[in-house]
Amino acid sequence: MRALALLSLLVAPILLAQTPAPSPAAPPAQEQSQDQYLLRSTSSLVLVPVQVQTRKGDILYGLHREQFIVEDNGVPQTVRLDEDTDALGLSLVVVVQCSREAFAQFNNMRGIGLMVDSLTGGTPSQVALVSYGSDMDLLGKFTSDPDRLASYFDKLQPCEDGGAVTLDAVDYATRLFDADAATSALTRNRRAILLIGETRDHGSQIKPETVIANLGRSNTVVDAVSFNPGKTSVVDSLIHGKYGPGPIGLIFMATQAVRKNVPKSLAELTGGEYTNFTTQKGFDRGIGRLANHIHNYYLLSFRPTAGADGKVSPGLHKISVKIPDYPDADIRNRLTYYAGDAAPPSVPEK
């Protein structure tokens, strides 16, 4: 696979096969706009980053569009395999916790700037930096200037703070894309968030289900690094329908998973990568693994099938990807997307 010049997926980010594969004609010019990545009830394009490995962990390269079967709530979709994601560019918001556990981990995270360089690669990209504890601090707006970006990371410092509003920070990062979209290349770039923080949220005002909907509606990928492993059952719950079928069951499952482990669950739901660490060597090793995975993705996309009323069913949708030619392959892909502008149903904490 050809390295995607970006991360995201970090980010989320998303790749292409190194061996050329046939692809449909380029989309019309009007699709190359912000609307291409915003999922409405009447017009939408769902981006699906997919990584394919053998059981031994080897990356499978050179797959063709026709070899993928993508289903939206069980309904097969007509997919496109993007062979030139570099042309789209990448907009990345790096979100770093400065409080609580992060205070003791800052020495282990000294390579954040270099990590971002390795994640973005040679892709045309714009990067912004946000730190957070009990509140968010925008340390630098979107820039493509390496020197300016380096100055952003020089401002990054630990903070003695008892809060960790991770969900609020992710929502803040998501809104940054829209805030600058009218006057920058953000209108045509893929969107990704690199989240570095502990597994649990402490003090956010926004609800998890709202964050899930906003990420799923805007095709934003979250790549995440946490200070400790943590566990969730998001994948098993989706696959086995633990909380029942339909958008209500899906949003319930996703919300419960996020409450247990914010970074891991958001990464899995959006198609990003996740790793964790407890030492500097662990951080460096995890970032290396993350970067390797991020640069070995296929980027599929599809327009959801509309109903008789010409609209896509609103709410959270489940995405599944199969490759019949490789029934034993380990396939990692974006698990959900959100259609429509309506707010998601509220999920009680218990």
Side-chain angles (χ1 to χ4, degrees):
M1 265 180 208
R2 197 174 54 203
L4 158 58
L6 122 87
L7 144 167
S8 184
L9 86 302
L10 206 197
V11 210
I14 313 171
L15 279 205
L16 354 146
Q18 200 170 33
T19 301
S23 63
Q30 62 265 29
E31 286 188 8
Q32 301 300 329
S33 68
Q34 184 183 13
D35 286 341
Q36 182 179 6
Y37 308 112
L38 296 180
L39 296 166
R40 307 297 185 185
S41 59
T42 55
S43 177
S44 57
L45 182 68
V46 180
L47 302 182
V48 187
V50 180
Q51 183 187 74
V52 187
Q53 293 179 304
T54 66
R55 286 195 170 185
K56 294 182 179 180
D58 299 321
I59 301 292
L60 280 175
Y61 300 102
L63 295 178
H64 296 259
R65 174 179 59 83
E66 295 81 3
Q67 293 177 276
F68 292 91
I69 295 178
V70 177
E71 295 181 343
D72 174 0
N73 284 344
V75 178
Q77 303 294 306
T78 300
V79 300
R80 168 189 175 121
L81 173 61
D82 203 321
E83 301 273 352
D84 191 18
T85 53
D86 288 1
L88 298 177
L90 170 73
S91 294
L92 171 68
V93 181
V94 182
V95 179
V96 184
Q97 181 183 334
C98 63
S99 61
R100 294 173 55 87
E101 290 186 48
F103 191 91
Q105 294 289 349
F106 255 72
N107 283 337
N108 296 330
M109 297 189 293
R110 287 176 292 181
I112 291 180
L114 293 176
M115 170 195 66
V116 172
D117 287 341
S118 67
L119 291 173
T120 55
T123 298
S125 59
Q126 295 189 2
V127 182
L129 178 62
V130 174
S131 69
Y132 73 94
S134 294
D135 203 353
M136 287 73 68
D137 186 9
L138 179 60
L139 299 181
K141 296 182 179 180
F142 284 106
T143 183
S144 56
D145 185 333
D147 293 333
R148 180 174 295 178
L149 183 58
S151 71
Y152 292 173
F153 286 105
D154 288 341
K155 301 176 185 178
L156 192 58
Q157 298 292 332
C159 55
E160 295 187 20
D161 190 329
V165 291
T166 306
L167 290 171
D168 284 349
V170 170
D171 180 67
Y172 178 81
T174 304
R175 288 185 283 112
L176 281 179
F177 296 117
D178 294 325
D180 284 358
T183 57
S184 75
L186 294 177
T187 55
R188 61 180 181 273
N189 285 359
R190 287 165 296 113
R191 298 177 171 190
I193 294 171
L194 170 55
L195 173 62
I196 303 176
E198 59 186 277
T199 57
R200 295 283 187 135
D201 182 275
H202 299 274
S204 284
Q205 297 299 307
I206 196 168
K207 294 181 178 180
E209 53 268 38
T210 301
V211 175
I212 293 167
N214 289 342
L215 290 171
R217 188 183 287 121
S218 62
N219 274 308
T220 301
V221 176
V222 176
D223 292 292
V225 183
S226 69
F227 308 139
N228 43 49
K231 295 182 179 180
T232 64
S233 56
V234 59
V235 175
D236 286 343
S237 296
L238 273 172
I239 293 175
H240 301 296
K242 179 178 178 181
Y243 297 108
I248 300 299
L250 287 176
I251 197 70
F252 184 88
M253 173 283 305
T255 299
Q256 297 292 54
V258 167
R259 286 170 177 162
K260 295 178 181 178
N261 186 325
V262 176
K264 187 173 191 293
S265 297
L266 293 183
E268 290 181 339
L269 291 170
T270 62
E273 292 290 338
Y274 172 79
T275 189
N276 56 75
F277 71 98
T278 55
T279 65
Q280 183 180 348
K281 287 184 178 179
F283 179 81
D284 295 340
R285 189 164 50 243
I287 290 303
R289 183 170 61 251
L290 191 87
N292 178 61
H293 287 177
I294 283 169
H295 292 299
N296 287 281
Y297 269 85
Y298 295 91
L299 179 56
L300 304 176
S301 62
F302 68 91
R303 290 193 177 278
T305 303
D309 60 356
K311 297 182 178 181
V312 178
S313 175
L316 197 65
H317 288 234
K318 174 184 175 182
I319 299 172
S320 63
V321 178
K322 303 174 184 176
I323 307 175
D325 292 341
Y326 296 92
D328 296 329
D330 180 14
I331 303 172
R332 303 178 61 193
N333 59 273
R334 181 179 181 182
L335 298 179
T336 62
Y337 76 92
Y338 197 92
D341 298 320
S346 180
V347 177
E349 292 193 14
K350 295 184 180 180

